Amino acid sequence: MLYSIIDALQRSAVYIDSVLKKCNFDYLDSTNSTGDSQLGVDVEANNIIKESLLELDVVKGICSEEEDEAIYKEGLNGVYLVAFDPLDGSSIVSSNLSVGSIFGIYNKEFSAKNLIASGYIVYGPRLEMVVAQDSVNHYIYNGEEWRNIGSLMLSNKGRINSPGGTQKNWSTKHKILIESLFLEGYRLRYSGGMVPDLHNLLCKGGGLFSYPSTSDAPNGKLRALFEVFPFAFIFEKAGGEAIGSIGSLNEGLSRILDLNIDSIHQSLPCFFGSNDEISRVKLAYK
Ligand code: P6P
């Protein structure tokens, strides 16, 4: 049943990749519902994915970072809802850095407990796609077809530290946590693109990616439905963990896929990683 959705996303990925290769990266006058400036290619990628999904019988509706509201189809056929960020990392695409699309497939309801599959597309030197259901499958597009090249698994402890957010606005406990990893020899890997930064962790055995609550972004920056929940699902299926918090950090950090959101564009502080590093985050934020 999910095959038609994955196939539609794979066809959209090839189309978006070709658009990225020849488009200019001019900003539009518009902003999206989170207030982010929009590139023309943001809107084009959104339309490509939205149209390819809404024509599927199994799809009941979609929500997108580039759409103010969720879009539901009339009629009772579809059961699946797809939330997606059509082009994540627009701010770095004009520097020719890798960017990506992120998606989560929900059964009947946009909530973490109804997330049944998720994945992402990496528009980089190679066009790649990762899809998590029972395991985390890694695909490469060879110019003619998508080939499954195996699955991605995290080690119990990694070597990469990928710290997001404006450092001068980090809390003291977050600064101590991040510094402790560097003092142990972790390598800094952070491009400012969620998809390539987390794909790097998944391909290189793990470590920690963090986008914490900061004084300028108390609820973090990354959006729950189409960024954080999909990657939380992927990291758990790859043998790691994903924790975060909704509302005040005073309640501490919880398993992200146990959290409930109030609005489709809600963001939250989030930590993705191998088990050892996530244990250290829990200790640091205790
Ligand atoms: P910062 C890109 O704009 C994005 O939404 C994610 O792809 C990325 O992880 C994050 O923002 C980077 O944010 O504040 O570290 O530049």
Side-chain angles (χ1 to χ4, degrees), residues 60-173:
K60 177 183 173 186
I62 59 111
C63 86
S64 162
E65 181 177 301
E66 304 302 334
E67 301 280 347
D68 291 344
E69 305 293 334
I71 299 169
Y72 295 96
K73 285 162 50 178
E74 298 303 314
L76 300 175
N77 295 352
V79 292
Y80 298 119
L81 297 171
V82 187
F84 59 92
D85 180 355
L87 196 65
D88 182 83
S90 313
S91 56
I92 61 172
V93 73
S94 50
S95 321
N96 201 29
L97 291 176
S98 295
V99 291
S101 305
I102 311 165
F103 59 90
I105 302 173
Y106 297 83
N107 186 14
K108 300 194 179 79
E109 185 188 309
F110 282 125
S111 66
K113 67 182 188 318
N114 288 54
L115 183 60
I116 56 169
S118 69
Y120 57 87
I121 297 148
V122 192
Y123 307 101
R126 292 187 310 202
L127 179 59
E128 300 190 14
M129 187 175 195
V130 168
V131 180
Q133 230 176 322
D134 302 320
S135 59
V136 181
N137 292 294
H138 188 188
Y139 300 86
I140 286 188
Y141 185 69
N142 65 11
E144 290 170 4
E145 61 180 359
W146 286 93
R147 287 185 45 245
N148 188 330
I149 58 167
S151 60
L152 297 173
M153 278 306 286
L154 292 163
S155 314
N156 191 53
K157 180 175 167 51
R159 295 188 306 277
I160 294 171
N161 191 7
S162 194
T166 309
Q167 301 199 16
K168 75 176 179 63
N169 299 327
W170 287 349
S171 66
T172 303
K173 60 187 166 188

Side-chain angles (χ1 to χ4, degrees), residues 65 85 88-91 163-166 190 192-195 197 209 211 221-223 227:
E65 181 177 301
D85 180 355
D88 182 83
S90 313
S91 56
T166 309
Y190 191 77
M194 183 182 195
V195 170
D197 289 340
F209 174 97
Y211 204 106
K221 174 182 182 183
L222 304 177
R223 275 61 56 135
E227 291 172 333

Side-chain angles (χ1 to χ4, degrees), residues 218-245:
N219 294 315
K221 174 182 182 183
L222 304 177
R223 275 61 56 135
L225 269 185
F226 27 75
E227 291 172 333
V228 179
F229 287 170
F231 269 108
F233 187 91
I234 293 163
F235 267 68
E236 288 192 355
K237 293 297 181 186
E241 290 182 63
I243 57 175
S245 69

